[in-house]
Coordinates of all heavy atoms in Angstrom, one line a residue:
V258 N 40.3 17.6 62.1 CA 41.0 18.5 61.1 C 40.1 19.7 60.9 O 38.9 19.6 60.5 CB 41.3 17.8 59.8 CG1 42.0 18.8 58.8 CG2 42.2 16.6 60.0
S259 N 40.6 20.9 61.1 CA 39.8 22.1 60.9 C 39.6 22.4 59.5 O 40.4 22.0 58.6 CB 40.5 23.3 61.6 OG 41.7 23.6 61.0
L260 N 38.5 23.1 59.1 CA 38.2 23.5 57.7 C 39.3 24.3 57.1 O 39.7 24.1 55.9 CB 36.9 24.2 57.7 CG 36.3 24.4 56.2 CD1 36.1 23.1 55.5 CD2 35.0 25.2 56.3
E261 N 39.9 25.3 57.9 CA 41.0 26.1 57.4 C 42.2 25.3 57.0 O 42.9 25.6 56.0 CB 41.4 27.2 58.4 CG 40.3 28.2 58.7 CD 39.2 27.7 59.6 OE1 39.4 26.5 60.1 OE2 38.2 28.4 59.9
E262 N 42.5 24.3 57.7 CA 43.7 23.5 57.4 C 43.4 22.6 56.2 O 44.4 22.3 55.5 CB 44.1 22.6 58.6 CG 44.5 23.5 59.9 CD 44.7 22.6 61.1 OE1 44.5 21.3 60.9 OE2 45.2 23.1 62.1
H263 N 42.2 22.2 56.0 CA 41.9 21.2 55.0 C 41.8 21.9 53.6 O 42.0 21.3 52.6 CB 40.6 20.5 55.3 CG 40.2 19.5 54.3 ND1 40.9 18.3 54.1 CD2 39.2 19.4 53.4 CE1 40.4 17.6 53.2 NE2 39.3 18.2 52.8
I264 N 41.3 23.2 53.5 CA 41.1 23.9 52.3 C 42.3 24.7 51.9 O 42.8 25.5 52.7 CB 39.9 24.8 52.4 CG1 38.6 24.0 52.7 CG2 39.6 25.6 51.0 CD1 38.2 23.0 51.7
D265 N 42.8 24.5 50.7 CA 43.9 25.2 50.1 C 43.4 26.0 48.9 O 42.3 25.9 48.5 CB 45.1 24.4 49.8 CG 44.7 23.3 48.8 OD1 43.7 23.4 48.1 OD2 45.4 22.2 48.8
T266 N 44.4 26.8 48.4 CA 44.0 27.7 47.2 C 43.6 26.9 46.0 O 42.6 27.3 45.3 CB 45.3 28.6 46.9 OG1 45.7 29.3 48.0 CG2 44.9 29.6 45.8
T267 N 44.2 25.8 45.7 CA 43.9 25.0 44.6 C 42.4 24.5 44.6 O 41.7 24.5 43.6 CB 44.8 23.8 44.4 OG1 46.2 24.3 44.4 CG2 44.5 23.0 43.2
K268 N 42.1 24.0 45.8 CA 40.7 23.5 46.0 C 39.7 24.6 45.8 O 38.6 24.5 45.3 CB 40.5 22.8 47.3 CG 41.3 21.5 47.4 CD 41.1 20.9 48.8 CE 41.9 19.5 48.8 NZ 41.8 18.9 50.1
I269 N 40.0 25.8 46.3 CA 39.1 27.0 46.2 C 38.9 27.3 44.7 O 37.8 27.6 44.2 CB 39.6 28.2 47.0 CG1 39.6 27.9 48.5 CG2 38.8 29.4 46.6 CD1 40.2 29.0 49.3
E270 N 40.1 27.3 44.0 CA 40.0 27.6 42.5 C 39.2 26.6 41.8 O 38.4 26.9 40.9 CB 41.4 27.7 41.9 CG 42.2 28.9 42.4 CD 43.6 28.9 41.9 OE1 44.0 27.8 41.3 OE2 44.4 29.9 42.1
N271 N 39.4 25.3 42.1 CA 38.6 24.2 41.5 C 37.1 24.4 41.8 O 36.2 24.1 41.0 CB 39.1 22.9 42.0 CG 40.5 22.5 41.4 OD1 40.9 23.1 40.4 ND2 41.2 21.6 42.1
T272 N 36.8 24.8 43.1 CA 35.4 25.0 43.5 C 34.8 26.1 42.6 O 33.7 25.9 42.1 CB 35.3 25.3 45.0 OG1 35.9 24.3 45.7 CG2 33.9 25.6 45.4
V273 N 35.5 27.2 42.5 CA 34.9 28.3 41.7 C 34.7 27.9 40.3 O 33.7 28.1 39.7 CB 35.9 29.5 41.8 CG1 35.4 30.6 40.8 CG2 36.0 30.1 43.2
R274 N 35.7 27.2 39.7 CA 35.6 26.7 38.3 C 34.5 25.7 38.1 O 33.7 25.8 37.2 CB 36.9 26.1 37.8 CG 36.9 25.6 36.4 CD 36.5 26.7 35.4 NE 36.4 26.2 34.1 CZ 35.7 26.8 33.1 NH1 35.1 27.9 33.4 NH2 35.7 26.3 31.9
G275 N 34.3 24.9 39.1 CA 33.3 23.9 39.1 C 31.9 24.5 39.2 O 31.0 24.1 38.4
L276 N 31.8 25.5 40.0 CA 30.5 26.3 40.1 C 30.2 27.0 38.8 O 29.0 27.1 38.4 CB 30.5 27.2 41.3 CG 30.6 26.6 42.7 CD1 30.7 27.7 43.8 CD2 29.3 25.8 43.0
E277 N 31.2 27.6 38.2 CA 31.0 28.2 36.9 C 30.5 27.2 35.9 O 29.5 27.5 35.1 CB 32.3 28.8 36.4 CG 32.7 30.1 37.2 CD 34.1 30.6 36.7 OE1 34.8 29.9 35.9 OE2 34.5 31.7 37.2
I278 N 31.1 26.0 35.8 CA 30.6 25.0 34.9 C 29.2 24.6 35.2 O 28.4 24.4 34.3 CB 31.6 23.8 34.9 CG1 32.9 24.2 34.4 CG2 31.0 22.6 34.1 CD1 34.0 23.1 34.5
I279 N 28.9 24.4 36.5 CA 27.5 24.0 36.9 C 26.5 25.1 36.4 O 25.5 24.8 35.9 CB 27.4 23.8 38.4 CG1 28.2 22.6 38.8 CG2 26.0 23.8 38.8 CD1 28.3 22.4 40.3
G280 N 26.9 26.4 36.6 CA 26.1 27.5 36.1 C 25.9 27.4 34.6 O 24.8 27.6 34.1
E281 N 27.0 27.2 33.9 CA 26.9 27.1 32.4 C 26.0 26.0 32.0 O 25.1 26.2 31.1 CB 28.3 27.0 31.8 CG 29.1 28.2 31.9 CD 30.6 27.9 31.5 OE1 30.8 26.8 31.0 OE2 31.4 28.9 31.5
Q282 N 26.1 24.8 32.6 CA 25.3 23.7 32.2 C 23.8 23.9 32.6 O 22.9 23.5 31.8 CB 25.8 22.4 32.9 CG 27.2 21.9 32.4 CD 27.1 21.5 31.0 OE1 27.4 22.2 30.1 NE2 26.7 20.2 30.8
S283 N 23.6 24.6 33.7 CA 22.2 24.9 34.1 C 21.6 25.9 33.1 O 20.4 25.7 32.7 CB 22.2 25.6 35.5 OG 22.8 24.7 36.4
I284 N 22.4 26.9 32.6 CA 21.9 27.8 31.6 C 21.6 27.0 30.3 O 20.5 27.2 29.6 CB 22.9 28.9 31.3 CG1 22.9 29.8 32.5 CG2 22.5 29.7 30.1 CD1 24.1 30.9 32.5
N285 N 22.5 26.1 29.9 CA 22.2 25.3 28.7 C 20.9 24.5 28.8 O 20.2 24.4 27.9 CB 23.4 24.4 28.5 CG 24.7 25.1 28.0 OD1 24.6 26.3 27.5 ND2 25.8 24.5 28.2
L286 N 20.7 23.9 30.0 CA 19.5 23.1 30.2 C 18.3 24.0 30.2 O 17.3 23.6 29.6 CB 19.6 22.4 31.6 CG 18.5 21.5 31.9 CD1 18.4 20.4 30.9 CD2 18.7 20.9 33.3
M287 N 18.4 25.2 30.7 CA 17.2 26.1 30.6 C 16.9 26.5 29.2 O 15.8 26.6 28.8 CB 17.5 27.4 31.5 CG 17.5 27.1 33.0 SD 18.0 28.6 33.9 CE 16.7 29.7 33.5
E288 N 18.0 26.8 28.4 CA 17.8 27.1 27.0 C 17.2 26.0 26.2 O 16.4 26.1 25.3 CB 19.2 27.5 26.4 CG 19.7 28.9 26.9 CD 21.1 29.2 26.3 OE1 21.7 28.3 25.7 OE2 21.5 30.3 26.5
F289 N 17.7 24.8 26.6 CA 17.1 23.6 26.0 C 15.6 23.5 26.2 O 14.8 23.2 25.3 CB 17.8 22.3 26.5 CG 17.3 21.0 26.0 CD1 17.6 20.6 24.7 CD2 16.4 20.3 26.8 CE1 17.1 19.4 24.3 CE2 15.9 19.1 26.4 CZ 16.2 18.6 25.1
V290 N 15.2 23.7 27.5 CA 13.8 23.6 27.8 C 13.0 24.7 27.1 O 11.9 24.5 26.6 CB 13.6 23.7 29.3 CG1 12.1 23.8 29.7 CG2 14.2 22.5 30.0
Q291 N 13.7 25.9 27.0 CA 13.0 27.1 26.4 C 12.8 26.8 24.9 O 11.8 27.1 24.3 CB 13.8 28.3 26.6 CG 13.2 29.6 26.0 CD 11.9 29.9 26.6 OE1 11.6 29.7 27.8 NE2 11.0 30.4 25.7
S292 N 13.8 26.2 24.3 CA 13.7 25.8 22.8 C 12.5 24.8 22.6 O 11.8 24.8 21.6 CB 15.0 25.3 22.3 OG 15.3 24.1 22.9
Y293 N 12.4 23.9 23.6 CA 11.3 22.9 23.5 C 9.9 23.7 23.6 O 9.0 23.3 22.9 CB 11.4 21.9 24.7 CG 10.3 20.9 24.7 CD1 10.3 19.8 23.9 CD2 9.3 21.1 25.7 CE1 9.2 18.9 24.0 CE2 8.2 20.2 25.8 CZ 8.2 19.1 24.9 OH 7.2 18.2 25.0
R294 N 9.9 24.6 24.5 CA 8.6 25.4 24.6 C 8.3 26.2 23.4 O 7.2 26.3 22.9 CB 8.7 26.4 25.8 CG 8.7 25.7 27.2 CD 9.0 26.7 28.3 NE 7.9 27.6 28.3 CZ 7.9 28.7 29.1 NH1 8.9 28.9 29.9 NH2 6.9 29.5 29.1
S295 N 9.4 26.8 22.8 CA 9.2 27.6 21.6 C 8.8 26.8 20.4 O 8.1 27.3 19.5 CB 10.5 28.4 21.3 OG 11.5 27.5 20.9
L296 N 9.2 25.5 20.4 CA 8.8 24.7 19.3 C 7.3 24.5 19.2 O 6.8 24.4 18.1 CB 9.5 23.3 19.5 CG 9.2 22.2 18.4 CD1 9.6 22.6 17.0 CD2 9.8 20.9 18.8

Side-chain angles (χ1 to χ4, degrees):
V258 178
S259 65
L260 188 60
E261 291 79 3
E262 297 174 356
H263 183 67
I264 300 298
D265 55 23
T266 304
T267 303
K268 291 182 179 178
I269 293 175
E270 291 176 353
N271 290 341
T272 299
V273 173
R274 182 55 185 159
L276 292 174
E277 288 176 350
I278 294 174
I279 290 174
E281 291 173 0
Q282 291 294 96
S283 300
I284 291 172
N285 291 339
L286 185 58
M287 290 175 64
E288 290 177 350
F289 175 79
V290 174
Q291 183 60 35
S292 64
Y293 177 79
R294 291 175 60 188
S295 64
L296 177 62

